[in-house]
Amino acid sequence: MKIKLHPDLARKLAKEFNVSSQTVLTSISYFNNSPRAQTIRQRAKELLIEEANKIIIKLEEEEE
């Protein structure tokens, strides 16, 4: 299992947690299961949900 994360979000996580991009990569790849890795994965999920919530879908009203 791996969390698929845009590189911009991965960089944001590295900066936010003051860790290397390699640490973020091993965390989202579930290679590491330390408390920090678990926290990074939780934050990655939060960031992905924030991104998903930005999606706006406009449906055209059906004509009768």
Side-chain angles (χ1 to χ4, degrees):
M1 180 187 294
K2 179 180 179 177
I3 298 172
K4 295 181 181 179
L5 195 63
H6 191 277
D8 290 347
L9 293 178
R11 282 190 290 274
K12 183 175 182 174
L13 284 171
K15 186 175 181 179
E16 186 174 321
F17 287 95
N18 197 30
V19 297
S20 68
S21 57
Q22 184 66 32
T23 299
V24 172
L25 179 62
T26 59
S27 297
I28 64 174
S29 299
Y30 289 83
F31 182 79
N32 189 342
N33 199 33
S34 68
R36 178 184 283 176
Q38 292 175 18
T39 304
I40 289 171
R41 286 194 294 273
Q42 178 61 42
R43 183 65 179 133
K45 180 179 177 180
E46 291 167 1
L47 290 174
L48 288 170
I49 290 170
E50 287 175 15
E51 287 298 310
N53 287 336
K54 291 178 184 177
I55 298 170
I56 298 172
I57 299 173
K58 294 183 181 182
L59 301 176
E60 294 183 30
E61 293 183 14
E62 294 180 12
E63 293 185 26
E64 296 180 26

